[in-house]
Amino acid sequence: MTPQELRALVRTVPDFPQPGIQFRDITTLIGHQAGFAASVRHLADHAREAGAQAIAGMEARGFIFGAAVAVELGLGFVPVRKPGKLPIETIGVDYALEYGTDRLEIDPAAIGQGQKVVIVDDLIATGGTALAATQLLRLAGAQVDHALFVIDLPDLGGADRLRESGLTVHALMDFEGD
Ligand code: AMP
């Protein structure tokens, strides 16, 4: 399936979780057997080209695509988790949201020094989450040069912010006007 056909499988829910937000829901994409498989293959092709030695995905929807890409390429998967989920000593970064802050954590032992880690998530909006994940993985010793997304919301500027931080960014589709 082409990225254009995959785009048609994403459900748009207006005013969720708050008025004015167009929520791009991947439930309908991953529920479609061929659509999910093609999404993972497209992402895996880019990760392979990027020379990925491991895949990192952000909780929770980044786990769905990231873990599948890792299996497709025969690589390990690094879960970038919400706070307090990992049962060991973690390293973490706090990052700003529109209102308040959030935090991401990883197991530092999950990363080999200099290991090429490619980030995978379902969607990039402002880029805050992906930038925090990049910072955290680099702190643990990873070489992070590539970030892959199913969906880009280009009007929110996240992909540009990531590029300014030296990352190569690719998304399978975009939705303009958000
Ligand atoms: P950001 O840190 O602003 O790039 O936001 C990225 C995260 O927020 C992604 O992992 C998405 O799961 C979620 N997200 C933000 N905006 C939307 C949206 N319009 N539709 C669906 N998910 C969104």
Side-chain angles (χ1 to χ4, degrees):
M1 292 179 79
T2 64
Q4 199 56 35
E5 290 168 324
L6 297 177
R7 192 176 183 281
L9 293 174
V10 174
R11 173 170 58 194
T12 296
V13 181
D15 300 320
F16 182 88
Q18 58 195 59
I21 303 286
Q22 299 265 74
F23 192 83
R24 307 299 179 177
D25 183 16
I26 50 110
T27 309
T28 39
L29 173 63
I30 62 176
H32 188 285
Q33 193 182 340
F36 186 28
S39 305
V40 170
R41 271 198 306 275
H42 285 300
L43 293 168
D45 287 346
H46 287 286
R48 189 186 296 106
E49 263 176 49
Q53 295 174 320
I55 303 295
M58 286 82 96
E59 188 168 355
R61 278 168 278 158
F63 289 3
I64 298 168
F65 292 99
V69 168
V71 170
E72 178 88 6
L73 297 180
L75 299 175
F77 177 72
V78 180
V80 180
R81 302 223 56 179
K82 295 189 171 151
K85 300 286 187 184
L86 287 166
I88 38 84
E89 186 104 1
T90 59
I91 55 170
V93 291
D94 297 301
Y95 64 103
L97 297 175
E98 196 176 352
Y99 302 103
T101 61
D102 212 341
R103 183 175 172 81
L104 293 175
E105 294 179 346
I106 59 168
D107 171 7
I111 309 288
Q113 290 307 298
Q115 190 176 31
K116 274 192 151 203
V117 177
V118 171
I119 289 177
V120 174
D121 204 359
D122 68 323
L123 181 145
I124 180 160
T126 65
T129 311
L131 274 174
T134 301
Q135 194 187 337
L136 184 54
L137 292 161
R138 285 178 176 167
L139 198 63
Q143 185 185 331
V144 186
D145 301 322
H146 291 78
L148 304 174
F149 303 91
V150 178
I151 299 166
D152 180 21
L153 305 183
D155 295 6
L156 297 182
D160 288 339
R161 281 180 76 199
L162 256 56
R163 290 185 184 108
E164 282 161 19
S165 295
L167 289 164
T168 300
V169 181
H170 187 84
L172 302 187
M173 64 189 75
D174 57 36
F175 287 90
E176 294 196 358
D178 287 276

